[in-house]
């Protein structure tokens, strides 16, 4: 199916700036291409035809954000990340859940162990996504910590792993937890 767009709908003059225009990409194009806000699109004009040739996904900035998140976690909770562990393999929608969980675990342990060590220090083994759910593997802790971890995992079951919005576990292909928007995006990419 070929769809024609009017230049006037795509380009918009910027008041007081004769050299530049705003370029509005129709949402259906973004969705069909899997483009998201923040992607860089290189546009060329050949034979008077507009060709959106190359999409430079902002992988760098995503991976920088991930590195910064992990560094922040390890710096804030050195006792929990004291030994080599299997990484934090979840998308950014769940990062706040992990940070909150780590904060609660460490402050509980610090409080319990004020006089002497009654609760073994929690040491992270691996944080990952499996079957659409958050998995927080660790050594140490007590029944209270087990409850905190179960609560965080249950919280993740109801929040989109991509953006953190309310969501649910989706089947069909890889089992993932998504909000309606990211579920629809994945479905559209299957076609
Ligand atoms: Zn989402």
């Amino acid at each position: 199916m070929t769809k024609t767009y009017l230049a006037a709908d795509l380009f918009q003059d910027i008041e007081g700036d004769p050299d530049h225009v705003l370029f509005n990409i129709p949402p259906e194009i973004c969705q069909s291409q899997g483009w998201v806000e923040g992607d860089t699109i290189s546009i060329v004009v050949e034979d008077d035809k507009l060709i959106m040739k190359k999409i430079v996904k902002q992988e760098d900035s995503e991976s920088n954000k991930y590195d910064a998140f992990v560094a922040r976690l390890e710096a804030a909770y050195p006792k929990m990340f004291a030994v080599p562990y299997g990484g934090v393999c979840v998308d950014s929608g769940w990062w706040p859940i992990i940070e909150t969980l780590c904060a609660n675990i460490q402050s509980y342990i610090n409080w319990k162990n004020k006089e002497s060590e009654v609760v073994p220090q929690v040491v992270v083994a691996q944080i990952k996504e499996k079957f659409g759910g958050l998995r927080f593997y660790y050594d140490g802790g007590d029944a209270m910590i087990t409850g905190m971890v179960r609560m965080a995992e249950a919280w993740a079951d109801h929040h989109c792993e991509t953006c953190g919005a309310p969501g649910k576990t989706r089947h069909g292909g890889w089992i993932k937890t998504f909000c309606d928007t990211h579920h629809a995006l994945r479905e559209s990419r299957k076609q």
Side-chain angles (χ1 to χ4, degrees), residues 2-181:
T2 308
K3 196 169 176 185
T4 308
Y5 297 94
L6 294 174
D9 292 335
L10 297 179
F11 297 102
Q12 194 184 317
D13 287 327
I14 301 170
E15 228 172 295
D17 184 351
D19 297 328
H20 297 95
V21 290
L22 288 175
F23 181 39
N24 303 304
I25 301 171
E28 61 269 24
I29 292 185
C30 289
Q31 203 171 41
S32 70
Q33 300 298 318
W35 298 343
V36 296
E37 205 174 302
D39 283 348
T40 304
I41 299 162
S42 136
I43 299 163
V44 294
V45 180
E46 280 176 12
D47 302 329
D48 281 342
K49 281 192 189 115
L50 187 69
I51 300 168
M52 285 176 271
K53 218 174 190 177
K54 193 173 157 201
I55 312 307
V56 184
K57 291 265 187 184
Q58 299 201 327
E59 309 280 2
D60 279 355
S61 94
E62 284 307 309
S63 83
N64 286 347
K65 270 189 248 166
Y66 175 79
D67 290 346
F69 162 67
V70 172
R72 192 164 71 234
L73 212 53
E74 292 175 357
Y77 311 104
K79 290 179 182 170
M80 293 181 69
F81 296 91
V83 299
Y85 63 105
V88 185
C89 303
V90 307
D91 288 335
S92 57
W94 287 354
W95 294 353
I97 299 174
I98 293 167
E99 289 193 279
T100 304
L101 175 61
C102 289
N104 285 321
I105 287 175
Q106 196 56 60
S107 72
Y108 168 75
I109 290 177
N110 292 348
W111 170 64
K112 289 291 275 187
N113 292 353
K114 219 177 258 176
E115 305 295 325
S116 63
E117 186 174 323
V118 292
V119 179
Q121 172 64 45
V122 166
V123 178
V124 171
Q126 190 179 22
I127 302 169
K128 62 187 257 190
E129 177 274 336
K130 190 177 181 187
F131 302 132
L134 173 65
R135 297 286 186 277
F136 188 93
Y137 299 115
Y138 62 99
D139 295 308
D142 63 1
M144 178 68 111
I145 305 264
T146 305
M148 289 181 187
V149 171
R150 293 290 164 270
M151 187 69 92
E153 290 174 343
W155 187 255
D157 280 344
H158 299 283
H159 290 84
C160 179
E161 190 186 346
T162 302
C163 72
K168 60 184 182 184
T169 305
R170 317 283 182 165
H171 298 264
W174 289 105
I175 303 170
K176 297 289 279 182
T177 300
F178 284 133
C179 64
D180 290 343
T181 304

